[in-house]
Amino acid sequence: MEVLYFAWVRERVGLPRERIETGAATIRDLLAELALRSPGHAAALEDHAALRCAIDQKLTGLDAPLAGVREVAIFPPMTGG
């Protein structure tokens, strides 16, 4: 699966994207797994309320299942303007 990071999430993780193998069942599980990868990952992913996620380019909640997913994007909330 490809994991994409945007805005300050990318800055804290230190990568724009990474390809991973995971046994995570949901986005929430994936965030917990990714947070263990490095201090930067932990800093970026610890506050789930400050994150939004998309699965295969569709916004989704943290309890969305990951079975068959090709891409997960993680980013801060967006504002309009």
Side-chain angles (χ1 to χ4, degrees), residues 30-54:
L30 178 64
L31 293 175
E33 184 179 300
L34 290 170
L36 299 174
R37 290 183 154 227
S38 75
H41 284 80
L45 305 174
E46 68 186 345
D47 183 5
H48 293 180
L51 299 172
R52 297 296 176 264
C53 297

Side-chain angles (χ1 to χ4, degrees), residues 47-61:
D47 183 5
H48 293 180
L51 299 172
R52 297 296 176 264
C53 297
I55 290 178
D56 294 332
Q57 300 183 9
K58 288 184 147 186
L59 287 175
T60 189

Side-chain angles (χ1 to χ4, degrees), residues 25-31 48 53 55 60-67:
T26 66
I27 293 279
R28 189 178 310 277
D29 297 339
L30 178 64
L31 293 175
H48 293 180
C53 297
I55 290 178
T60 189
L62 297 181
D63 293 317
L66 291 177

